[in-house]
Amino acid sequence: MTPPPGATTPAPVPTGGPGRVRRQLERLPAVLRHGPAFWRRSLQVRVVLSTLVLSALVVGVVGWFLIQQTRDGLLEHRVEAVVQEAEAETESARAALASTSGLDMDESGQQEALVQPIQARGATRGFAVVLSPPIDEGARLADGGAKFTEGLDLSSVPESLEARFDSVSPTAWTYTDIRTTRPIAGLPEGPGIVVGSQVRLPADDNTYTLYYLYPLAEQQETLALVSRAMLIAGVPLLVLVALLTWLVTRQVVTPIRMARRVAERLAAGHLQERLRVRGEDDLARLAMSFNQMASNLQKQIRQLEELSRLQRRFVSDVSHELRTPITTVRMASDVIHDARPFLDPVTGRAAELLQKELDRFETLLADLLEISRFDAGAAVLEAEDVDLVDVARRVVDMTSVLAEQRGTRVVLHEPGTRCVAEADVRRVERIVRNLVTNAIDHAESHDVEIYLGTDLQSSAIAVRDHGVGLEPGESAMVFNRFWRADPARARTSGGTGLGLSISLEDTHLHGGWLQAWGHPGQGAQFRLTLPRHLGVQLRHSPLPLVPTDARESA
C-alpha cells in the first residue's frame, strides 16, 4: 500500500547492536565460541593446529612446485614436437612448390595447391593452418585475403607474431588462445601454440607466412589430472599428519596433564598425592623426580607444621602461665606506686617506670593471648550493626592525647551518612585504633586523615598519614608479626609489634579486606573494607586504596 502524497516514510528501526551480536555468537557451535580458550589452554591443540598449518603450507608449496615443473615439461615437450612438425610441413610445402614451378599455374592456384594438402593433414593430425597475404604488401590477416582452415577465427593468430613476420624471418612460435567460428574436428577451443614459417611462391615471387595452430587440450587435461591427484593425495596426507601429531602429542601431554592435576592437589593440601611412574624414559624420570620433590616438600611442611604447632602452644602456655605472676607483680607495683609521696625522688621515679613498663607488658601479654586464640581457631564474633562513623569518632577521642604529644592532628572526614556493617564492634574499634596509632607514630607532625565510605555491598574506612611512607614491597610485610620498617625507629606509642597482625586476623574473621599503600616521602594509607552483611563476598571497596593526592602527584 503506497503512502498518500506528502506523507513521509518513517526511517527503519535499526535491529542490530550488541544484543544482536551476542545472540548470533550464542548460536555458533561451542568449538567456535570457545576456540580462543582452547588455543590458549591446550598445548595439544596448539601443536596439532600448528603442525597442520605448516604441513599444509609445505604440501601446498611442494605441490605448486611439482605442478609447475610438470606444466613446464609438458609444454616444452609439446613445443618441441609442434615446431618440428611445422618445419616438416613447411619443407614439404616448399618441395611441392618446387615440383610445380614449371607448371602453368597462377598465384591463386599455387596458394590452393600449397594450403589444401596441409589442411588435409591437419584435419587428421589435429591442427589448423593459415596462409597470410604476401608480406611485401603489408597486409594483415584481419584485412582479408588469407587462406585458412574453415571455421577458424583469424584472431587466434596473435598480432605480435604477425609483426614478427613483416619481413623475412626464421621460424617462430608463441602461445595463443584458439577461437573458432564453428566446431572444427580435432581442434578444440582453448590454449594452444601457433608456429609461423615462411615460404616463397614461384608464381609471383612473393613471401608468404604459414601459421600452424596446435591445441594444448591434452596437456591441459594431463595437468588437471595431476592437480586432482595431488589434491586427492594431499588432503588425506594432511589428515594423517594431524592424526599422527595428535597421537604423538597425546603421549607427551597426557603425563604433563597428570602432573598438573597432582600439583593442583598438592597445592590444595593433599600432600600424599604422587605421580604414577611407568617405564624408564625421560617422562618416567621426570615423574620420579616430581615424586621425590613432593616427598621432600611433604616432609618439610610437616616439620614446619609441627614446629609452628609447638611454637603456638609455647606462646599460649607462656602467656597463660605469665598471667599469675604478672598479677602479683601488678599488685606490688600498685602499692609502691601509691606510696610515691613518701618515697625519695629516685625511688618514686623508679616506681613510675615500673608501672609504665608493667602496662606495656600486660598489653603485650594480652596481644599474645589474642594471637594464640586466632592460631587455635577459638576467636568468635559478636556481630551487630556497627556504624563506622561512630567508631571513628571514639577512636579520634581516644587517640587525641597521643596525637597532641606527637604534635599532629587526627582529622575525621565524615561522609554525611551512616556507614553500617554487620561486625563485632570491639574488634572493629581495635582495628581502627591500631591503624590510627600506627599513623600517628609515623606521621612526623603531619595531619592524620580518616576517610569513610559506603555502598550497597560494603563499608570502608581509610587512615592516611603523610609521613615517611613505605618502600616497594613493604605494603604486604607490614602485617607480619613483630615486623618493623625501620628497626632503629623507636615506638613512641608503646606498640607491641602485633597490632597490625591482630587487625588483619580480625578483618579476616569478618570476611573483609585490610590493605596498605605507601610510597617513600608521600606517606601511607591503610584501608579497611567490611561487607554490609556477614558471609557476603567482597568484590570492591567504596574507597580507593591509593589516595587521590598521591595519584595526582604521580
Side-chain angles (χ1 to χ4, degrees):
M1 184 174 179
T2 58
T8 58
T9 303
V13 178
T15 58
R20 183 180 182 185
V21 174
R22 184 166 54 252
R23 289 192 298 272
Q24 290 178 350
L25 291 176
E26 290 175 354
R27 295 193 187 102
L28 294 175
V31 175
L32 296 179
R33 291 201 310 268
H34 304 294
F38 284 128
W39 176 263
R40 293 193 306 268
R41 299 176 59 183
S42 177
L43 176 63
Q44 190 172 9
V45 170
R46 291 202 301 272
V47 172
V48 171
L49 290 181
S50 300
T51 305
L52 188 61
V53 171
L54 292 177
S55 300
L57 182 62
V58 171
V59 170
V61 172
V62 173
W64 176 84
F65 177 77
L66 293 178
I67 290 175
Q68 292 298 317
Q69 292 295 314
T70 303
R71 172 180 173 274
D72 294 342
L74 290 173
L75 292 178
E76 183 179 355
H77 178 73
R78 180 61 172 166
V79 167
E80 182 179 352
V82 299
V83 169
Q84 291 180 357
E85 184 174 354
E87 290 179 346
E89 289 290 340
T90 303
E91 289 298 328
S92 298
R94 289 170 181 167
L97 288 174
S99 64
T100 61
S101 59
L103 300 177
D104 187 9
M105 189 177 296
D106 59 3
E107 173 188 348
S108 177
Q110 285 192 347
Q111 291 180 1
E112 290 292 338
L114 174 66
V115 174
Q116 285 182 356
I118 300 177
Q119 289 178 344
R121 288 190 293 270
T124 58
R125 297 180 185 177
F127 68 88
V129 64
V130 177
L131 179 64
S132 72
I135 63 173
D136 297 337
E137 298 176 3
R140 295 293 182 184
L141 296 177
D143 298 335
K147 298 185 180 298
F148 55 90
T149 302
E150 293 185 4
L152 179 69
D153 189 345
L154 292 179
S155 63
S156 301
V157 179
E159 293 183 358
S160 60
L161 187 61
E162 281 191 77
R164 174 76 177 269
F165 292 102
D166 286 343
S167 60
V168 178
S169 178
T171 302
W173 65 273
T174 186
Y175 294 111
T176 186
D177 187 12
I178 298 177
R179 291 179 290 272
T180 61
T181 57
R182 64 178 178 82
I184 303 176
L187 187 69
E189 290 187 334
I193 299 174
V194 56
V195 182
S197 184
Q198 291 180 331
V199 295
R200 181 179 294 274
L201 291 182
D204 58 1
D205 200 28
N206 283 330
T207 302
Y208 294 79
T209 305
L210 284 169
Y211 296 100
Y212 304 91
L213 291 92
Y214 295 88
L216 292 175
E218 294 183 3
Q219 287 72 24
Q220 193 174 15
E221 291 178 0
T222 303
L223 191 63
L225 178 62
V226 173
S227 301
R228 286 196 301 270
M230 295 193 65
L231 181 62
I232 293 173
V235 172
L237 178 62
L238 290 178
V239 174
L240 182 61
V241 168
L243 180 61
L244 291 177
T245 306
W246 182 79
L247 291 176
V248 172
T249 54
R250 179 181 175 85
Q251 295 180 359
V252 178
V253 171
T254 299
I256 295 177
R257 289 175 177 172
M258 294 177 60
R260 175 182 60 82
R261 295 190 188 102
V262 173
E264 290 175 351
R265 292 185 63 82
L266 286 173
H270 303 281
L271 302 179
Q272 73 280 358
E273 290 291 329
R274 296 294 183 271
L275 284 175
R276 186 179 302 174
V277 180
R278 296 178 180 176
E280 298 180 358
D281 55 6
D282 293 335
L283 292 176
R285 290 196 294 271
L286 176 62
M288 294 174 60
S289 301
F290 185 90
N291 291 339
Q292 185 177 2
M293 178 191 68
S295 299
N296 293 335
L297 287 176
Q298 182 182 15
K299 182 179 178 181
Q300 293 180 6
I301 289 173
R302 287 179 175 175
Q303 291 177 351
L304 292 174
E305 288 178 347
E306 181 65 18
L307 179 61
S308 178
R309 186 184 65 82
L310 292 176
Q311 183 181 10
R312 290 196 302 268
R313 182 173 181 179
F314 173 77
V315 172
S316 178
D317 292 345
V318 169
S319 301
H320 283 85
E321 291 299 327
L322 287 177
R323 299 282 295 182
T324 301
I326 196 63
T327 302
T328 304
V329 174
R330 165 63 70 181
M331 293 173 59
S333 175
D334 290 341
V335 172
I336 298 174
H337 189 267
D338 293 338
R340 282 181 304 161
F342 308 102
L343 301 176
D344 58 87
V346 177
T347 306
R349 177 58 179 165
E352 292 180 356
L353 293 176
L354 177 62
Q355 191 77 359
K356 182 177 179 181
E357 292 303 317
L358 277 174
D359 291 340
R360 183 179 178 186
F361 188 78
E362 284 185 335
T363 303
L364 175 60
L365 187 59
D367 289 345
L368 288 173
L369 288 172
E370 189 68 21
I371 286 291
S372 65
R373 280 192 288 270
F374 282 121
D375 292 337
V380 294
L381 286 177
E382 297 179 2
E384 59 179 308
D385 287 340
V386 178
D387 188 357
L388 296 185
V389 178
D390 295 337
V391 173
R393 290 170 182 166
R394 290 196 297 271
V395 171
V396 170
D397 293 338
M398 286 186 289
T399 58
S400 59
V401 176
L402 177 62
E404 186 177 354
Q405 292 175 354
R406 291 301 309 269
T408 184
R409 294 186 311 156
V410 180
V411 181
L412 176 61
H413 300 277
E414 298 191 15
T417 183
R418 301 180 72 222
C419 300
V420 180
E422 187 178 357
D424 189 330
V425 62
R426 180 182 65 86
R427 295 182 184 275
V428 172
E429 187 172 313
R430 179 168 60 188
I431 296 172
V432 178
R433 185 173 63 250
N434 285 334
L435 297 181
V436 173
T437 54
N438 181 74
I440 292 173
D441 196 29
H442 296 84
E444 294 190 339
S445 301
H446 296 288
D447 289 347
V448 174
E449 299 176 277
I450 302 177
Y451 300 92
L452 295 107
T454 185
D455 56 23
L456 296 177
Q457 286 81 27
S458 58
S459 296
I461 181 170
V463 180
R464 170 83 162 104
D465 69 74
H466 301 272
V468 294
L470 295 173
E471 296 291 338
E474 291 183 350
S475 58
M477 301 173 61
V478 292
F479 301 105
N480 295 343
R481 299 176 184 181
F482 300 108
W483 184 85
R484 299 175 68 179
D486 185 5
R489 186 182 181 90
R491 279 200 182 97
T492 58
S493 61
T496 62
L498 295 173
L500 292 179
S501 300
I502 294 174
S503 299
L504 184 62
E505 296 290 347
D506 282 332
T507 304
H508 289 167
L509 200 61
H510 287 84
W513 296 341
L514 183 57
Q515 300 162 297
W517 169 89
H519 193 276
Q522 296 186 20
Q525 177 165 293
F526 289 78
R527 183 184 67 182
L528 169 66
T529 307
L530 298 175
R532 293 287 297 268
H533 302 284
L534 289 177
V536 177
Q537 185 177 4
L538 288 177
R539 298 186 180 277
H540 66 277
S541 178
L543 293 178
L545 178 61
V546 181
T548 305
D549 56 348
R551 291 201 300 267
E552 292 175 352
S553 61

